[in-house]
Amino acid sequence: MYAEIIIPAALPKNYTWSVPAHLLEQVKPGCRVEVNLGKNKKYAGVVKKLLEEKPEFIETKDILNVLDTEPVVFEEQLSLWEWMASYYMCSEGEVMAAALPAHFKLSSETILVFNEEYGDDFSALDHDEYLVGEALLLKKELNLGEVQQLLDSSHVYPVINRLIQKKVCHVWEALKQTYVPKKETYVLLNPVYDNEDSLSELLNNWTRAPKQMELLLSYLHLMKTSGEVTKSSLLKKSGASDAQLKGLVDKQVLRLEKRIIDRISYLPKNVLIDFELSEKQKAALEKVKTEWEQRPVCLLHGVTSSGKTNIYIHLIEEMIRQGKQVLYMLPEIALTSQVIRRLQKHFGGYIGVYHSKFSQNERVEIWNKIKTGELRIILGARSAVFLPFRDLGLVICDEEHDASFKQQEPAPRYHGRDAAIYFASLFGAKTLLGSGTPSVESYYNASTGKYGFAELLSRYGDLILPTIEMIDMRKVFIPDKPKHDKIILSPQLVEAVNEVIGRNKQVILFQNRRGYAPYQVCGVCGWIPQCKYCDVSLTFHKLSNRLVCHYCGTSYPPVHSCAACGSDKFTQRNFGTEKIEEQLQETFPNARVARMDMDTVRGKNAHDALIQQFEQERIDILVGTQMVVKGLDFDNVDLVGILDADGLLYFADFRVNERAFQLMEQVSGRAGRKEATGKVLVQTSQPKHPLLQVVQQHDYKAMFTEEIKKRKEFAYPPFTRIIQLTFKHKFREVVERAAVKYADALKKRYGPYLVGPAEPVIGRIRNQYLMELLLKLPRDGKTINQCKQDLLEHTAILHQEPTFRSVTVVPDVDPV
């Protein structure tokens, strides 16, 4: 027997290994196996399929070991990986690397790190585990080669696996964004005092140490109320010290026991639907179900605050009752914290969350709970599509228009929504796409009958959509303000904010730039500080007092004199959220102001803490980037301000109008969600811009009609499929020549569909010069598949030339 095995590396094809006779029973598709590639390189690969015929032209090596008794992934996951690799032009190994938690991806570079929490008691370990444990205790870190030397064996994966499971060590990869696994000390009563008589005797004859007596009584009280008592809760309740507890332990009245507890606590499992749908919601729900009878995918176009989540909850309930699993996808981690609280209220412990802010240990834990079917509903960002569902019945993709569903770097550059639709089809499951501002492609698919379609065009409780007013910034004049300085807060906006917070209502202000000042300019010669490694200006961050490149992350000390002319007269142009926050604090000294952007919500629970503060009305004004736009539900917001609409309208991108409409409509949807009609103020120097007129009317269909006309005229999606090729190299001349040569090779067959090559807006990132080539292909599958094969072939031909060997060619299918 032979096995085709996927290893977590960018190999163009999967390699085949032979299955030795003694492992025949254990090797199954979906299981991990230990294999050798090259001279000494070892990997933990996943068996894709078993073959009976020996592959031609290659000498196969034996599988060394089987790491799992049960598969870690199912057939559906393997099919998804294969489709993703084929569709997005990458390798199955790259998909595997993105899909599996780090603990499942051992390779010969793996470093084991000792878990200090485990301590030095190795009595529970077998001989081999003990040897490695002792070495880790002394050295703290071991690589795979050292473990092999120590055990005098190349087959060390099973030992490592057991040590990881017993929490003796971590895989180094797993420490990138992790915290120490949780152990809790529990306090137990000595079994001698389990019966009431002996306990009464102990208490009645107590003479000394009154503080220990108080501690014991606190313990007995906690036992009655809680059932189990942790050391931390006991000391907090009793106000006692460690020494007093130690005294009771020494007297053998109490004893301590360390237990490893679940890192993620789950509520009891229950289903509680305690609300009624409105008549319009019921009609939309029925329409969705009717459409599903004809087509597996349905688009729900529901305006902001129409109650789409209530419809989702009813559909999830039906799935739970049928014993099926549900994948609920959201574009942003920030959104999951608010939605999870709503869903936990209705589904308790049936629901789990999965996204990149979890440590690798937590991810493995959630992975296994889904695999066994213990978790029925998973709420997650795009990476949740890789989880090992057993019996998927429904996929909900909320805010389906959002560009955050698309993975940018590294490969696979997949779109979470499209991958979820394919994944659902493998189970015969239904998919519901929900949005207040659907993507043009999805709305087109619904209008041509490819998707089902349901609408919910009025807000819950028949509330009116907020009124949108334009503030013409050309007519705004503030005395003593230099002419070239951009005005952040117009007098009309200041007046409106004062009025709203005077009524104890809340305000959201939106600006799609973080930092303090997006760029500084020398007032004498016009020089702008730029990043050493990218062709972009540096953004000043006042809190850290650094200039930061938002493309490569490099930070620099602030510049006080011009590098070109030596002048110290710098002007700060434009404004980011940090500067707005500062100005708000000056303008509204009594208001509580907070900021929500990438800089303020870096921690695992930072999103949730900020959102909860705003929900509890402990913040009056929230200023933020796109994070404040997406699907958040705040009852008390009466005013939304868009501070720089012009910054959304001028991008070199065919989707610019669609994106600007979606952002402005979504941000305006945060206002007036309960009772009163909200108000939206838009600061712009182009109040008569056609798109702003459409936004003012909340007219999605008008935007769609205009966009679809232009897309057809200029051959853009949904009428074509786009593949974008990016060429990267450290020398500009080399990358330009490579892109031209590549384009010339394609012209014969794909000339009419080619655009470029051309330098992108930002021509250098991380010291790599860039060139782009665009293919606008007709939508028939045959042409697209042939083109993908040709592109891979031309990339291989390009790399044959020594000059172009180090040019990186990055294909991006359906870029956003």
Side-chain angles (χ1 to χ4, degrees), residues 215-457:
L215 180 58
L216 181 57
L217 290 171
S218 292
Y219 169 79
L220 294 169
H221 175 70
L222 267 176
M223 269 300 284
K224 273 212 164 78
T225 54
S226 308
E228 285 190 315
V229 181
T230 62
K231 179 180 168 182
S232 53
S233 63
L234 176 59
L235 295 180
K236 192 176 173 186
K237 170 108 170 72
S238 62
S241 67
D242 255 343
Q244 286 154 358
L245 179 58
K246 188 175 182 299
L248 285 174
V249 172
D250 291 345
K251 286 177 181 171
Q252 297 191 343
V253 176
L254 296 177
R255 60 191 181 89
L256 302 178
E257 188 180 282
K258 271 203 166 183
R259 296 181 194 167
I260 291 175
I261 58 167
D262 245 353
R263 289 177 202 87
I264 304 161
S265 51
Y266 294 93
L267 298 171
K269 292 182 177 174
N270 70 319
V271 178
L272 170 71
I273 310 297
D274 56 357
F275 63 88
E276 284 289 318
L277 294 179
S278 69
E279 290 306 313
K280 285 175 182 168
Q281 286 172 336
K282 281 178 187 167
L285 178 63
E286 285 312 311
K287 184 75 164 55
V288 167
K289 289 179 182 174
T290 311
E291 290 287 349
W292 272 343
E293 288 168 14
Q294 309 295 320
R295 306 165 191 87
V297 183
C298 182
L299 173 66
L300 173 61
H301 176 206
V303 295
T304 53
S305 196
S306 57
K308 294 186 290 292
T309 311
N310 287 355
I311 291 174
Y312 302 157
I313 288 167
H314 271 265
L315 290 167
I316 291 168
E317 183 207 10
E318 287 179 26
M319 287 297 148
I320 296 284
R321 304 255 186 241
Q322 291 171 31
K324 302 262 187 191
Q325 288 175 306
V326 177
L327 170 58
Y328 188 141
M329 290 174 75
L330 289 161
E332 287 275 357
I333 295 167
L335 271 176
T336 57
S337 54
Q338 201 181 30
V339 175
I340 190 74
R341 289 199 296 278
R342 279 187 74 176
L343 294 186
Q344 275 175 338
K345 184 181 154 198
H346 300 298
F347 302 110
Y350 281 120
I351 187 162
V353 185
Y354 188 85
H355 54 64
S356 59
K357 287 272 166 80
F358 281 122
S359 72
Q360 297 293 351
N361 292 318
E362 290 171 315
R363 289 195 217 185
V364 170
E365 208 168 272
I366 298 162
W367 183 280
N368 289 330
K369 280 185 160 69
I370 294 159
K371 198 165 74 115
T372 58
E374 192 178 328
L375 286 176
R376 296 280 191 79
I377 311 158
I378 277 293
L379 182 66
R382 61 175 180 261
S383 58
V385 78
F386 292 120
L387 290 167
F389 290 92
R390 281 194 92 94
D391 194 4
L392 189 64
L394 171 65
V395 173
I396 294 167
C397 188
D398 200 13
E399 309 298 340
E400 66 82 30
H401 63 275
D402 201 296
S404 304
F405 275 124
K406 174 79 170 163
Q407 161 89 354
Q408 303 296 343
E409 287 291 336
R413 293 169 184 82
Y414 66 99
H415 197 297
R417 176 198 63 210
D418 300 343
I421 290 171
Y422 178 79
F423 190 45
S425 73
L426 297 173
F427 291 88
K430 305 298 183 195
T431 306
L432 181 62
L433 310 176
S435 176
T437 52
S439 66
V440 166
E441 287 89 335
S442 293
Y443 201 84
Y444 177 77
N445 283 338
S447 61
T448 54
K450 183 179 177 182
Y451 294 169
F453 185 60
E455 281 183 313
L456 198 53
L457 296 181

Side-chain angles (χ1 to χ4, degrees), residues 121-158:
D121 177 12
F122 296 144
S123 56
L125 306 184
D126 68 23
H127 178 259
D128 286 351
E129 293 164 6
Y130 179 83
L131 286 176
V132 180
E134 278 286 305
L136 279 167
L137 182 64
L138 296 170
K139 284 191 73 178
K140 304 303 176 199
E141 285 187 6
L142 292 173
N143 65 33
L144 204 72
E146 289 169 324
V147 178
Q148 287 169 338
Q149 273 182 331
L150 190 69
L151 300 179
D152 194 22
S153 165
S154 58
H155 304 323
V156 295
Y157 277 96

